[in-house]
Amino acid sequence: MHKKLSFILAAVLFVAVAITTPAQETVITPADNLVVDGVPKIPSSVAETAGRYGSYRSANLADWHPTKREMLIATRFGDTPQLHLVKMPGGTRQQLTFYPDAVTNGRFHPNGGDYIVFSKDIGGGEWYQLYRYDLKTGDVTLLTDGKARNLPGPWSSSGDQIAYMSTRRTGKDTDLWVMNPSDPKTDHLLTQLAGGGWQPLDWSPDDKKILLEEELSINESYLWLVDAVTGEKTELTPRNTTEKVSYGEGRFSKDGKGIYVTTDKDSEFHRLAYVSLATKEHWYFTTEIPWDVETFDLSHDGRRIAFVTNEAGLSVLYDFSTTTKIMLHTHKLPTGVTGAVHWHKNGQELGFSLNNARGPGDCYSLDMATGKLERWTTSETAVKTDAFPEAELVRWKSFDGKMISGFLYRPPAKFTGKRPLLVLIHGGPEGQSQPTFLGRSNYYLNELGIALIYPNVRGSTGYGKTFSLMDNGIKRDDTYKDINALFDWVATQPGLDSDRVAVTGGSYGGHMTLAVSTFYSDRIRCSVDIVGMSNLVTFLEHTEAYRRDLRRVEYGDERDPKMREYLEKIAPMKNIEKIRKPMFVIAGKNDPRVPVSESQQIADALKKQGTPVWLLIAKDEGHGYRKKPNQDFQFYATVEFLQEYLLK
């Protein structure tokens, strides 16, 4: 439930399916992979009207070809995103992988680009395996053991090895492994590690060291140097400090004497910094920018760094000289949210993906010398997006005086009078709602006249580390109160109907949905819980072992009697009688993060006490639906649910 993981919510709210024609009426029939309980028959007219809002695709940049001006991207032409090759701006998307499960990442072999290494799971279980795709033959070779969870890491500087993490040894500890993908027999364990928060960031220029990050929480991480031959690791950043420090991305400088990182050391925000390997001293380059540096990439000659900041939810691209230590440019891009940036080996072009309220996401290149921006993909949408509303930044005061903000989208002017409202809470909780493409949610705005608000309650990232720590442990229910304060604000808005409010969210947003439905039932009409935790104690006991300790830092350790008592006290499952409004519960059977039992137990309890509840479980999905047929059915059912319980 990492920040980036707040990205699930843009896609998770909605899903798809088969249409049959009974004698008397035409309805949408759930496929055999869906468990549907309490959901009424959905007329096919819903698909005919709402289906167009789910008919779109997006494109995300995975890598540049090392010798050609070609992009490896992920986009969807069938049911799931797959890897495609694009050979020029606006060129044809040539599909490379064809799987029922999504393939969203891939990296070219740096020495010639003759093959690609990618990862893929089955059914949303997140037990990823690494594969090699040979471009000449189209052959795919399994590189890992087929059982453990394996996460790809960086290529060596020489380009013939990759470092990656695997739970192969114990099933929960993520050890550091190294392999030459052209010869899987070279695969070997380099360093045994304890816990699930490790990841390799980079290799030194001489390939003698690997930069390794140890993440204990979103607010606390440490850097290590690992000997690439012996596996011996040496601490680079100290642990015995009073300040908890977070490190993000990291790259070795070209001379190997230091590393470039993002860190919130001595700051509220993540700054771009240089750390000397000899003295451990930090130099900061972006102190004048009061926002997080979210991502960066070092050019192959080591002379320039392109980095992206998150400024009030929108992305800004900067260009920095490592030789003069000064900012070269602030590049003007289309307004929106930018993903990771990638320098081409030519040292002149930068590749990235970008999406906004009126575009589902496409791949671009920017000539950093001339400023020439080229669009490589133009993703299709069945509904014209030109009139989709832009986000309106709004703020309200919470119970303790803390200012909370969110993004409000208003329906078009054809809808008169006070508008019903859907509150969409992001996951994480270390995430942030940003003004990205709303996808199927545009149907609620444009066709049903429902206003949408995406709050960033305390605990969200993007507003400084103090704000992100304000929901930890026994402060958990303060986040619920932020939503209650939002309801107070809604009541003061002449264009919003405080008597017709629904709440929804996925993952931690699903937990928030359940909590708000429990403690503020009288303030809402209904709710849609997507893969949410109904009891943080049972969640912590049953989430996959490799991520349990990371979650305990955020929510509290359920093994501590006092913390357990508090978590049980605020658990929706322990206050089930307070949930009096209809609820739609959505889950994936293979979810490794929030086990399906969290959804099943709340649905069963609501059904037993007579509270209206709809339940949808996909047998071939995990933490959020990835397959378009499943996404569409979830969407159609949600439309029916809101029409029944919010709009009537």
Side-chain angles (χ1 to χ4, degrees):
M1 291 186 285
H2 189 275
K3 169 178 178 176
K4 294 291 181 190
L5 287 183
S6 66
F7 220 84
I8 290 180
L9 276 197
V12 77
L13 244 204
F14 334 92
V15 248
V17 101
I19 299 176
T20 65
T21 310
Q24 298 300 319
E25 63 175 340
T26 304
V27 299
I28 300 173
T29 303
D32 292 340
N33 64 303
L34 298 178
V35 177
V36 180
D37 184 6
V39 181
K41 291 182 179 180
I42 302 172
S44 62
S45 58
V46 174
E48 293 166 2
T49 56
R52 296 171 60 241
Y53 284 83
S55 296
Y56 67 90
R57 58 177 136 258
S58 60
N60 288 288
L61 176 62
D63 200 9
W64 282 107
H65 192 284
T67 61
K68 303 175 183 177
R69 192 173 181 252
E70 298 178 357
M71 282 186 177
L72 182 67
I73 70 165
T75 191
R76 180 191 59 76
F77 276 84
D79 290 343
T80 58
Q82 300 292 319
L83 292 179
H84 294 69
L85 187 65
V86 183
K87 296 187 176 182
M88 66 184 73
T92 301
R93 288 164 277 190
Q94 175 190 344
Q95 189 164 340
L96 303 179
T97 60
F98 296 82
Y99 291 99
D101 294 292
V103 182
T104 59
N105 68 86
R107 299 173 186 174
F108 281 106
H109 178 210
N111 298 336
D114 52 324
Y115 64 83
I116 294 165
V117 174
F118 68 91
S119 66
K120 182 187 72 68
D121 71 348
I122 296 175
E126 300 188 14
W127 295 95
Y128 298 102
Q129 304 303 317
L130 305 188
Y131 300 84
R132 185 186 73 225
Y133 176 92
D134 290 286
L135 273 85
K136 185 176 182 180
T137 64
D139 293 339
V140 176
T141 303
L142 175 66
L143 298 177
T144 44
D145 67 336
K147 300 176 183 178
R149 172 180 163 89
N150 305 279
L151 301 177
W155 284 99
S156 61
S157 297
S158 63
D160 58 4
Q161 296 185 93
I162 59 167
Y164 72 98
M165 308 307 299
S166 179
T167 61
R168 195 177 313 175
R169 181 174 57 89
T170 66
K172 64 176 183 178
D173 297 308
T174 51
D175 297 326
L176 179 61
W177 289 65
V178 170
M179 165 199 319
N180 182 340
S182 66
D183 181 9
K185 293 180 181 179
T186 62
D187 189 25
H188 64 281
L189 171 63
L190 181 62
T191 306
Q192 292 187 7
L193 301 166
W198 301 87
Q199 64 170 326
L201 300 179
D202 198 16
W203 296 66
S204 61
D206 59 8
D207 282 339
K208 291 182 178 180
K209 302 288 184 183
I210 297 174
L211 179 62
L212 185 68
E213 181 183 27
E214 176 190 12
E215 183 183 26
L216 301 184
S217 73
I218 193 69
N219 298 101
E220 183 180 6
S221 56
Y222 302 94
L223 299 177
W224 298 77
L225 292 177
V226 179
D227 188 295
V229 176
T230 67
E232 180 183 0
K233 70 181 194 299
T234 305
E235 192 175 67
L236 180 59
T237 54
R239 303 177 87 87
N240 56 344
T241 59
T242 56
E243 176 195 23
K244 289 185 177 180
V245 175
S246 170
Y247 289 88
E249 299 183 14
R251 302 284 188 279
F252 278 95
S253 61
K254 194 67 174 177
D255 60 10
K257 295 180 179 179
I259 55 172
Y260 295 102
V261 299
T262 62
T263 179
D264 62 6
K265 180 177 169 60
D266 301 322
S267 173
E268 277 290 310
F269 296 94
H270 267 246
R271 295 181 288 181
L272 182 66
Y274 175 84
V275 182
S276 167
L277 297 182
T279 67
K280 312 300 188 296
E281 187 176 356
H282 290 54
W283 285 271
Y284 304 104
F285 306 130
T286 59
T287 301
E288 72 281 4
I289 303 174
W291 301 100
D292 283 326
V293 176
E294 284 199 322
T295 185
F296 76 90
D297 195 25
L298 180 68
S299 63
H300 290 270
D301 62 9
R303 295 180 179 179
R304 295 166 78 175
I305 294 175
F307 67 92
V308 177
T309 56
N310 173 354
E311 304 191 7
L314 295 173
S315 298
V316 179
L317 174 65
Y318 294 85
D319 188 8
F320 178 79
S321 169
T322 61
T323 54
T324 64
K325 304 296 187 297
I326 61 172
M327 219 72 72
L328 299 177
H329 302 285
T330 302
H331 291 278
K332 182 67 175 177
L333 299 178
T335 299
V337 177
T338 302
V341 291
H342 301 269
W343 282 100
H344 193 284
K345 274 197 172 181
N346 62 25
Q348 186 167 326
E349 285 188 287
L350 195 72
F352 57 91
S353 309
L354 183 143
N355 85 87
N356 54 36
R358 294 176 180 170
D362 278 301
C363 300
Y364 297 81
S365 66
L366 177 68
D367 188 308
M368 299 293 275
T370 66
K372 182 180 181 181
L373 181 70
E374 291 186 280
R375 186 169 182 169
W376 284 64
T377 62
T378 301
S379 294
E380 302 85 350
T381 59
V383 179
K384 295 294 184 183
T385 65
D386 297 350
F388 284 2
E390 298 285 355
E392 176 186 342
L393 181 63
V394 297
R395 295 181 174 87
W396 61 93
K397 185 178 292 187
S398 194
F399 69 98
D400 57 354
K402 176 63 64 177
M403 294 303 297
I404 308 298
S405 65
F407 292 102
L408 174 65
Y409 297 82
R410 299 183 186 273
K414 66 181 180 181
F415 294 101
T416 59
K418 289 188 173 184
R419 303 317 309 159
L421 178 70
L422 179 61
V423 180
L424 303 98
I425 307 173
H426 69 70
E430 314 96 331
Q432 181 189 24
S433 288
Q434 296 178 268
T436 55
F437 189 66
L438 300 184
R440 295 169 175 87
S441 288
N442 283 298
Y443 179 80
Y444 305 137
L445 281 168
N446 296 335
E447 307 297 337
L448 300 183
I450 302 173
L452 309 176
I453 189 165
Y454 293 76
N456 283 312
V457 296
R458 68 190 66 205
S460 301
T461 50
Y463 306 96
K465 63 184 177 185
T466 298
F467 191 82
S468 68
L469 287 166
M470 292 181 70
D471 65 338
N472 283 13
I474 59 173
K475 296 178 283 187
R476 179 61 43 202
D477 59 331
D478 287 352
T479 62
Y480 314 160
K481 297 173 185 176
D482 288 343
I483 299 299
N484 189 46
L486 169 60
F487 296 151
D488 291 337
W489 177 84
V490 169
T492 69
Q493 301 302 302
L496 301 177
D497 188 349
S498 61
D499 290 328
R500 290 189 294 166
V501 176
V503 61
T504 187
S507 191
Y508 177 72
H511 170 74
M512 286 282 291
T513 295
L514 292 171
V516 171
S517 301
T518 302
F519 301 112
Y520 307 110
S521 179
D522 59 328
R523 309 204 71 174
I524 66 172
R525 284 278 188 94
C526 58
S527 60
V528 181
D529 158 41
I530 305 166
V531 298
M533 306 92 91
S534 55
N535 185 331
L536 292 175
V537 171
T538 55
F539 157 70
L540 289 167
E541 290 175 337
H542 296 110
T543 191
E544 283 291 348
Y546 62 78
R547 59 191 316 278
R548 188 170 295 132
D549 287 340
L550 289 170
R551 295 297 82 204
R552 282 172 173 154
V553 174
E554 173 69 33
Y555 299 118
D557 192 332
E558 84 287 359
R559 297 168 298 182
D560 176 78
K562 290 185 178 180
M563 180 57 68
R564 188 182 189 93
E565 180 183 6
Y566 169 74
L567 294 178
E568 294 274 19
K569 178 182 177 182
I570 65 170
M573 270 303 299
K574 295 295 185 178
N575 296 273
I576 196 71
E577 73 285 351
K578 297 179 181 178
I579 303 178
R580 301 184 299 273
K581 300 299 175 60
M583 182 180 294
F584 186 12
V585 179
I586 299 161
K589 184 179 179 181
N590 305 322
D591 193 337
R593 299 176 180 232
V594 180
V596 67
S597 55
E598 290 294 308
S599 298
Q600 188 73 62
Q601 65 186 5
I602 198 81
D604 290 346
L606 291 175
K607 189 175 183 179
K608 184 177 180 179
Q609 75 177 19
T611 300
V613 59
W614 297 10
L615 176 65
L616 174 65
I617 300 174
K619 300 176 185 178
D620 56 346
E621 298 279 13
H623 197 61
Y625 294 179
R626 303 296 300 275
K627 299 175 181 178
K628 189 176 185 297
N630 297 337
Q631 291 177 341
D632 286 341
F633 188 82
Q634 180 189 343
F635 176 43
Y636 302 149
T638 303
V639 169
E640 281 294 290
F641 183 82
L642 294 177
Q643 287 181 323
E644 176 67 23
Y645 294 113
L646 177 64
L647 299 183
K648 285 187 177 179

